[in-house]
């Protein structure tokens, strides 16, 4: 009989591409991964791994068994989801992620409510940018991820995932109180051609969205500073170092000396939660989605 945990280890190695990455995804040591794979090789009587420089690669037999392992694990997850649905119980462990402002703005309310209402449910959360969260759900390292896209730039979603809306998050421009446009009722992005922008890290989805949107308004962005967290960006605005886009979620309290001015374009980002379709019937998934939506209803 093939051992399910060893098949899970082989599947993780196939998906992640290295022993260290598989260990990180499984939350075990690299030694534990190597031991499980060595035992699996003895069980099947074939070499599954071969040296590849300083790492390893799957042999033909390893790739064949990894393909079977993926299908077997998917069927096991379906069986678990069906059993959980049949019992109707919200229990077990769920791993979820959110991008930083969603983790700050939604997780404290949602996760504390889940702990009160479903004490048999164990939750493990972490901050991850949207692309990494989606990749984690696809690989099976996460059960759910809170992600986002923007009104004019959708986030591609791989096949096999299900999503549910959490909230539409309006965004304003954050300006120093002494800025020339700070007393306006609304502004146009085209009016910031000479301003320095405080933005997210290069390559991050929100940064790419901002560059795309400014250029579509005829503005070649001048990027002065980068920061992942909204409150770091707002503190830089407070210091007079530039302007930034400030979505409502996670921005309160707004620092003294920072003014929020609405945009004529009515900029919004769409926040939603994703999970794998083969886990769709799990009551625990539904409970987390509902808790996130209820937490979002309190944002304001």
């Amino acid at each position: 009989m093939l051992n399910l945990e060893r098949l899970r280890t082989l599947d993780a190695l196939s998906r992640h591409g290295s022993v260290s990455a598989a260990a990180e995804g499984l939350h075990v040591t690299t030694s534990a991964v190597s031991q499980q794979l060595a035992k699996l090789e003895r069980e099947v009587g074939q070499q599954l791994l071969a040296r590849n420089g300083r790492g390893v690669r799957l042999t033909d037999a390893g790739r064949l068994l990894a393909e079977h392992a993926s299908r077997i694990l998917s069927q096991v997850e379906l069986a678990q989801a069906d059993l959980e649905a049949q019992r109707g119980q919200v229990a077990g462990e769920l791993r979820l992620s959110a991008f930083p402002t969603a983790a700050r703005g939604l997780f404290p309310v949602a996760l504390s409510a889940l702990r009160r209402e479903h004490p048999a449910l164990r939750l493990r959360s972490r901050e991850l940018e949207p692309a990494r969260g989606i990749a984690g759900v696809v690989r099976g390292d996460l059960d759910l991820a809170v992600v986002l896209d923007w009104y004019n730039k959708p986030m591609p979603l791989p096949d096999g995932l299900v999503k549910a809306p959490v909230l539409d998050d309006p965004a304003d421009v954050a300006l120093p109180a002494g800025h020339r446009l700070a007393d306006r009722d609304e502004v146009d992005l085209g009016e910031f051609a000479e301003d320095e922008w405080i933005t997210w890290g290069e390559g991050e989805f929100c940064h790419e969205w901002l560059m795309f949107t400014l250029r579509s308004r005829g503005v070649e962005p001048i990027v002065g500073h980068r920061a992942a967290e909204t409150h770091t960006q707002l503190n830089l605005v407070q210091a007079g170092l530039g302007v930034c886009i400030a979505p409502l979620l996670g921005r309160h309290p707004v620092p003294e000396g920072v003014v929020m001015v609405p945009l004529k374009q009515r900029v919004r980002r769409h926040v939603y939660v994703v999970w794998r379709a083969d886990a769709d019937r799990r009551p625990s998934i539904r409970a987390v989605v509902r808790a996130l939506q209820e937490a979002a209803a309190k944002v304001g």
Side-chain angles (χ1 to χ4, degrees):
M1 292 289 291
L2 291 170
N3 181 282
L4 190 62
E5 286 309 308
R6 289 166 199 156
L7 289 179
R8 196 181 306 280
T9 303
L10 179 66
D11 177 65
L13 178 67
S14 176
R15 289 185 284 105
H16 290 281
S18 71
V19 170
S20 59
E24 183 179 355
L26 293 169
H27 307 289
V28 299
T29 64
T30 55
S31 176
V33 169
S34 298
Q35 290 173 20
Q36 289 281 57
L37 293 172
K39 290 177 181 178
L40 185 59
E41 285 187 324
R42 290 196 293 271
E43 283 179 352
V44 301
Q46 294 190 62
Q47 184 179 358
L48 302 176
L49 304 177
R51 286 286 174 192
N52 184 32
R54 303 180 72 175
V56 296
R57 62 173 176 81
L58 293 175
T59 63
D60 289 345
R63 285 195 297 271
L64 177 64
L65 186 56
E67 291 173 4
H68 283 290
S70 178
R71 290 193 291 271
I72 290 167
L73 292 169
S74 180
Q75 286 300 119
V76 168
E77 182 149 7
L78 281 170
Q80 290 173 334
D82 284 345
L83 284 170
E84 190 176 315
Q86 197 267 345
R87 289 196 307 267
Q89 295 178 344
V90 178
E93 179 174 293
L94 283 183
R95 301 152 298 168
L96 65 159
S97 74
F99 57 95
T101 50
R104 183 176 188 270
L106 298 176
F107 275 4
V109 173
L111 302 192
S112 60
L114 286 163
R115 173 174 286 187
R116 288 193 307 271
E117 296 167 14
H118 306 291
L121 179 64
R122 297 184 305 278
L123 295 166
R124 302 289 180 263
S125 69
R126 59 189 301 193
E127 284 187 3
L128 285 177
E129 289 299 325
R132 291 188 63 197
I134 288 173
V137 174
V138 170
R139 290 195 305 262
D141 301 336
L142 296 168
D143 297 294
L144 306 100
V146 180
V147 300
L148 65 89
D149 56 26
W150 291 85
Y151 74 104
N152 60 341
K153 192 174 178 63
M155 168 77 76
L157 199 64
D159 292 338
L161 298 187
V162 178
K163 72 176 183 178
V166 175
L167 80 157
D168 276 355
D169 190 22
D172 302 319
V173 180
L175 309 174
H179 193 279
R180 68 187 187 281
L181 302 176
D183 60 351
R184 294 271 294 275
D185 292 332
E186 59 182 14
V187 291
D188 188 282
L189 282 173
E191 297 179 86
F192 294 94
E194 305 302 320
D195 286 273
E196 284 195 43
W197 282 92
I198 299 161
T199 180
W200 297 267
E202 189 168 3
E204 290 185 13
F205 184 71
C206 287
H207 170 78
E208 297 303 320
W209 164 80
L210 181 59
M211 299 299 101
F212 166 81
T213 303
L214 288 171
R215 286 167 180 152
S216 72
R217 302 294 299 177
V219 175
E220 183 54 37
I222 304 169
V223 176
H225 306 278
R226 301 178 189 275
E229 249 292 356
T230 298
H231 268 259
T232 304
Q233 294 184 12
L234 292 177
N235 285 336
L236 292 170
V237 172
Q238 182 186 39
L241 297 173
V243 302
C244 75
I245 294 291
L248 178 63
L249 179 63
R251 80 183 183 198
H252 292 296
V254 176
E256 185 177 349
V258 175
V259 176
M260 297 292 171
V261 182
L263 283 158
K264 292 178 182 178
Q265 293 89 348
R266 296 297 183 261
V267 169
R268 288 181 177 270
R269 60 182 185 177
H270 309 301
V271 180
Y272 51 98
V273 58
V274 301
W275 64 95
R276 292 183 302 282
D278 54 16
D280 193 45
R281 296 187 62 202
R282 294 177 65 182
S284 54
I285 294 281
R286 295 295 175 184
V288 172
V289 172
R290 187 165 53 252
L292 289 167
Q293 291 171 333
E294 289 172 356
K298 300 175 182 178
V299 171

